[in-house]
């Protein structure tokens, strides 16, 4: 009897040692990404891991999850399994719920239609995004999400980010701006965003537009005309003289003041520029051929800058 018990203990001990060795052994040499579906359970999880080459013995995996209690704690989601991960490390990761963090980036100056198209095209998101939100209501930024997150949730986060940042910046705005509401500041910021791709210029361009609003001058912003024609899509050609002279709510050549809505989703830098514009006497600016603009405070000086720009255009500079 004593011999039989000793033999059983030896065999059992060997089995436990073998299982522990397998549990702690180094896994595949390459990093692997797996997706554990909701409701997969421990057996479904074992199948996914086995198919991906993360484990090579489903039975031992099931035993290990049972012994450790992990079978009741595994979480669904997308996981990036580091190279050489042991079964113990894999189970720790699946219990932690630390799924892959994805990034969705919205560039400054896109329209809500363009952002809506990007969100619809993102395969890692789910659900219909719903109606296109109001122009200018989405803050351009990089947003983190996980596989299967809802598109409407991402849009709600973008809107909340714009609302909160706009409120904070409005409270910190310079005194005596010719802007009555945060919405007016948002509209002007959307124009500044489309006027230049040079971050350092934004406070100065904002200063020009603020000076024009104070003087009762038209803003004369080409991007507003384009928005009136295409509602946020690229025009793809030069603006026609008839369009410059056309009567639309977005033609800032033919009326004084701001257009009725933003023309893009401005970034934080453009919002900050409008809330605290550069103090300048400038009333005009035109492209200078370097990607930036030449500024002037008199119409005569502006005309000279325009002539220089026209000469550069004839030379093929864009």
């Amino acid at each position: 009897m004593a011999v039989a018990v000793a033999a059983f203990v030896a065999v059992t001990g060997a089995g436990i040692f073998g299982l522990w060795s397998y549990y702690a052994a180094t896994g595949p040499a390459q990093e692997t990404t797996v997706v554990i579906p909701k409701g997969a359970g421990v057996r479904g999880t074992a199948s996914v891991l086995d198919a991906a080459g993360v484990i090579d013995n489903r039975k031992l995996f099931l035993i290990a999850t049972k012994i450790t209690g992990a079978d009741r704690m595994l979480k669904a989601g997308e996981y990036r399994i580091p190279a050489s991960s042991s079964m113990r490390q894999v189970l720790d990761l699946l219990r932690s719920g630390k799924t892959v963090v994805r990034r969705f980036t919205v560039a400054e100056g896109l329209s809500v239609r363009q952002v809506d198209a990007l969100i619809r095209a993102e395969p890692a998101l789910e659900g219909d995004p719903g109606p296109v939100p109001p122009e200018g209501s989405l803050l351009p930024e990089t947003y983190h999400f996980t596989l299967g997150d809802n598109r409407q949730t991402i849009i709600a986060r973008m809107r909340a980010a714009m609302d909160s940042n706009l409120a904070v910046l409005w409270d910190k705005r310079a005194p005596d701006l010719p802007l009555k509401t945060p919405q007016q500041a948002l509209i002007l910021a959307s124009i500044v965003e489309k006027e230049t791709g040079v971050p350092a210029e934004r406070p100065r361009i904002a200063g020009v537009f603020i000076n024009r609003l104070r003087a009762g001058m038209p803003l004369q912003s080409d991007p507003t005309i384009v928005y009136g024609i295409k509602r946020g899509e690229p025009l793809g050609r030069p603006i026609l003289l008839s369009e410059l002279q056309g009567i639309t709510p977005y033609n800032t050549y033919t009326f004084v003041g701001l257009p009725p809505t933003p023309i893009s989703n401005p970034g934080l830098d453009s919002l900050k520029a409008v809330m605290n514009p550069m103090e300048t006497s400038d009333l005009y600016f035109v492209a200078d051929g370097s990607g930036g603009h030449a500024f002037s405070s008199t119409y005569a000086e502006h005309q000279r800058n325009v002539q220089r720009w026209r000469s550069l255009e004839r030379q093929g500079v864009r």
Side-chain angles (χ1 to χ4, degrees):
M1 181 66 175
V3 174
V5 171
F8 174 78
V9 170
V11 171
T12 304
I16 293 174
F17 177 78
L19 177 60
W20 175 255
S21 298
Y22 181 76
Y23 185 59
T26 298
Q30 72 280 355
E31 180 182 89
T32 307
T33 298
V34 298
V35 177
I36 308 301
K38 294 179 181 178
V42 67
R43 293 186 179 277
T45 299
S47 296
V48 171
L49 296 177
D50 185 37
V54 174
I55 62 173
D56 58 10
N57 191 314
R58 295 191 201 185
K59 186 174 183 179
L60 288 180
F61 177 83
L62 294 174
I63 294 172
T65 59
K66 188 68 174 179
I67 292 175
T68 61
D71 56 334
R72 300 182 301 275
M73 302 169 64
L74 302 182
K75 296 179 175 64
E78 181 182 24
Y79 292 90
R80 187 171 290 118
I81 311 295
S84 304
S85 292
S86 66
M87 185 190 297
R88 176 178 183 175
Q89 291 170 319
V90 171
L91 285 177
D92 286 344
L93 180 60
L94 298 186
R95 282 184 290 196
S96 73
K98 294 179 180 178
T99 54
V100 173
V101 176
R102 292 174 175 256
R103 292 169 175 80
F104 181 79
T105 299
V106 178
E108 293 86 350
L110 295 181
S111 69
V112 287
R113 289 185 180 183
Q114 291 171 317
V115 177
D116 179 74
L118 291 175
I119 290 176
R120 290 178 183 275
E122 173 52 63
L125 292 171
E126 294 181 357
D128 188 281
V132 176
E135 190 64 79
S137 64
L138 308 176
L139 184 71
E141 186 58 87
T142 294
Y143 296 87
H144 297 93
F145 71 98
T146 57
L147 181 69
D149 278 0
N150 188 275
R151 291 183 173 89
Q152 289 190 25
T153 300
I154 298 294
I155 290 177
R157 288 170 56 193
M158 292 180 188
R159 296 190 68 168
M162 178 60 84
D163 289 345
S164 61
N165 279 280
L166 184 59
V168 169
L169 293 173
W170 179 254
D171 287 342
K172 297 179 180 179
R173 69 190 184 280
D176 303 323
L177 292 178
L179 303 169
K180 297 180 180 180
T181 65
Q183 180 68 10
Q184 288 188 344
L186 178 61
I187 292 172
L188 186 56
S190 75
I191 298 173
V192 171
E193 188 69 64
K194 297 298 288 185
E195 283 285 3
T196 182
V198 181
E201 284 191 343
R202 289 173 185 146
R204 192 169 185 179
I205 287 179
V208 171
F209 286 140
I210 290 293
N211 288 345
R212 283 180 164 259
L213 289 172
R214 284 177 174 150
M217 298 172 61
L219 295 183
Q220 295 185 328
S221 170
D222 289 357
T224 64
I225 294 177
V226 174
Y227 187 84
I229 299 168
K230 298 292 289 185
R231 289 299 191 274
E233 297 298 331
L235 183 58
R237 58 168 174 77
I239 298 172
L240 303 176
L241 178 59
S242 60
E243 292 165 340
L244 284 173
Q245 298 173 342
I247 306 300
T248 78
Y250 291 92
N251 189 341
T252 54
Y253 279 80
T254 58
F255 70 86
V256 174
L258 297 166
T261 72
I263 63 169
S264 70
N265 292 289
L268 284 176
D269 286 345
S270 292
L271 289 167
K272 291 175 181 178
V274 165
M275 305 295 189
N276 289 276
M278 178 185 291
E279 293 187 10
T280 176
S281 61
D282 296 328
L283 288 169
Y284 308 92
F285 61 90
V286 67
D288 65 2
S290 69
H293 294 84
F295 295 83
S296 54
S297 57
T298 67
Y299 186 68
E301 185 182 1
H302 176 61
Q303 284 299 98
R304 289 192 291 272
N305 289 337
V306 170
Q307 290 304 314
R308 280 194 288 269
W309 169 239
R310 297 301 182 210
S311 176
L312 291 171
E313 279 190 312
R314 288 192 292 271
Q315 297 171 36
V317 177
R318 289 288 184 271

